[in-house]
Amino acid sequence: MATIDGLPPLREVIREHGLAARKSLGQNFLLDLNLTARIARIPGDLSNASVLEIGPGPGGLTRGLLAEGARRVLAIEKDARCLPALAEIAAACPGRLEVVEGDALEIDPLALLSPPIHVVANLPYNVGTELLVRWLSPPEWPPFWSSLTLMFQKEVAERIVAQPGSKAYGRLAVLAQWRCEARIALRLPPEAFTPPPKVSSAVVHLVPRPEPAWPADPAVLERVVAMAFNQRRKMLRASLKGLGGNTEKLLDAAGIPPTERAEQVSIEGFAALARAVSGAGA
Ligand code: SAM
């Protein structure tokens, strides 16, 4: 039986199992095991934790996570063609890798894993963003995950970590940073992938705060932020008219000048506004 280091190079695995990349599944593979090891180290010590990996493909990042000592990895992959290659990795690490075939948008990982859970994924960008929004809006906080380490198109990564006053600052930044520390941990050029995508990529690392830095009702905050950024070029006294109640009074209660635009308002400011809206029953 092969050990993890004794497994064949990924190019060979891809050839042997006929894993020609499919565009429809967003398949841009990482074949450099030094690079996948670097990504696997981003969450920190995994020896006492489980990892939820979404979209393992031929298993480059999976190998990295196991080689870095992850206690257990649950990998969810939609493409059945990848399963034999992943079974070879599982055989090299008895009892540490479980592979589930299916759509990550439809599978509940908590049926198969118990916390602490670190989520790691190199996913197609549309699926990644949808899962990120779900993971950031759970019914209860803190969430089931201890960290998220996710590959995104560079522009999406920059929107997640954006600061007020920048063009990239918007709903995603507020959603991510209200209750998490978020940073770009690694930047990757298109050539890091096989085949290379058209755009550059970046790995974002998010760690949940035990509580939001500034209290607010999540649903009210989301409503206020969505409304403000839907018309991001308008002054808030105009873009927030649909909130109900006296908009200028609400902004005043939150300490926000009514002439400001959404991208100038800090997350602290949006949270204060959400509290004012909740308080006014608007
Ligand atoms: N992790 C591998 C790597 O880094 O080389 C593969 C990355 S590739 C960008 C994305 C992977 O996600 C593919 O293997 C693809 O089949 C899989 N995938 C796409 N949509 C998925 C979904 N909804 N659920 C689970 N896996 C999915």
Side-chain angles (χ1 to χ4, degrees), residues 25-30 55-57 76-79 102-104 122 124:
L25 285 166
Q27 292 183 333
N28 302 100
F29 300 132
L30 291 170
I76 301 176
E77 174 55 61
K78 197 171 175 182
D79 185 354
D103 184 339
N122 172 18

Side-chain angles (χ1 to χ4, degrees), residues 231-240 258-261:
Q231 296 177 296
R232 62 186 294 146
R233 293 166 123 183
K234 285 198 177 165
M235 291 181 196
L236 291 167
R237 67 176 172 216
S239 60
L240 293 178
T259 51
E260 285 210 336
R261 291 171 172 80

Side-chain angles (χ1 to χ4, degrees), residues 5 7 22 38 54 58 76-77 82 121 123 152 194 204 210-211 213 236 246 259:
D5 292 332
L7 289 167
R22 288 198 176 143
R38 275 176 72 190
I54 314 280
I76 301 176
E77 174 55 61
C82 298
L123 267 176
F152 286 104
T194 304
V204 178
E211 288 175 37
L236 291 167
N246 182 327
T259 51

Side-chain angles (χ1 to χ4, degrees), residues 3-103:
T3 60
I4 190 109
D5 292 332
L7 289 167
L10 285 160
R11 276 186 202 285
E12 215 172 281
V13 171
I14 285 176
R15 207 178 319 117
E16 199 162 296
H17 294 284
L19 301 179
R22 288 198 176 143
K23 230 183 173 170
S24 60
L25 285 166
Q27 292 183 333
N28 302 100
F29 300 132
L30 291 170
L31 304 185
D32 176 351
L33 292 173
N34 289 319
L35 185 55
T36 59
R38 275 176 72 190
I39 298 171
R41 283 196 287 271
I42 293 171
D45 181 17
L46 297 173
S47 57
N48 285 313
S50 295
V51 176
L52 170 63
E53 188 195 356
I54 314 280
L61 189 50
T62 320
R63 288 198 204 183
L65 291 162
L66 291 163
E68 290 304 315
R71 183 180 63 187
R72 186 151 180 260
V73 177
L74 173 72
I76 301 176
E77 174 55 61
K78 197 171 175 182
D79 185 354
R81 294 180 311 156
C82 298
L83 301 186
L86 295 166
E88 286 172 9
I89 304 174
C93 305
R96 292 174 61 208
L97 172 61
E98 183 178 353
V99 181
V100 174
E101 181 195 345
D103 184 339

Side-chain angles (χ1 to χ4, degrees), residues 123-134:
L123 267 176
Y125 299 125
N126 54 343
V127 182
T129 311
E130 181 165 350
L131 283 170
L132 173 67
V133 170
R134 278 195 205 177

